[in-house]
Amino acid sequence: RGTLTYPVDLYLEGSDQHRGWFQSSLLTSIATRGQAPYKSVLTHGFVMDEKGRKMSKSLGNVVLPTQVIDGGKDKKKQP
């Protein structure tokens, strides 16, 4: 893996990882290498369901990609 560099250019994760993956990798890298493991961090938001909850496979409130692409059976309710 001679093409990989340290620190990496970018960490990309959801905003729920600020105190999770980002912080734990930062603290570990500072302790072992004296520098951050990334040059930049980009976080993204989440798609919410009709009840204001984050869409999640584990909650079962996701929309199937085929429904987004093809549309639902009732075009008025599921365009």
Side-chain angles (χ1 to χ4, degrees), residues 7-37:
V8 299
D9 291 327
L10 179 67
Y11 266 26
L12 172 62
E13 279 287 349
S15 57
D16 61 333
Q17 293 302 314
H18 288 170
R19 285 185 261 159
W21 174 242
F22 293 139
Q23 184 175 1
S24 62
S25 60
L26 175 64
L27 295 176
T28 302
S29 181
I30 293 292
T32 60
R33 296 180 180 229
Q35 67 181 47

Side-chain angles (χ1 to χ4, degrees), residues 40-51:
S40 298
V41 172
L42 178 65
T43 59
H44 56 78
F46 298 96
V47 176
M48 309 300 264
D49 70 6
E50 65 276 359
K51 296 178 184 173

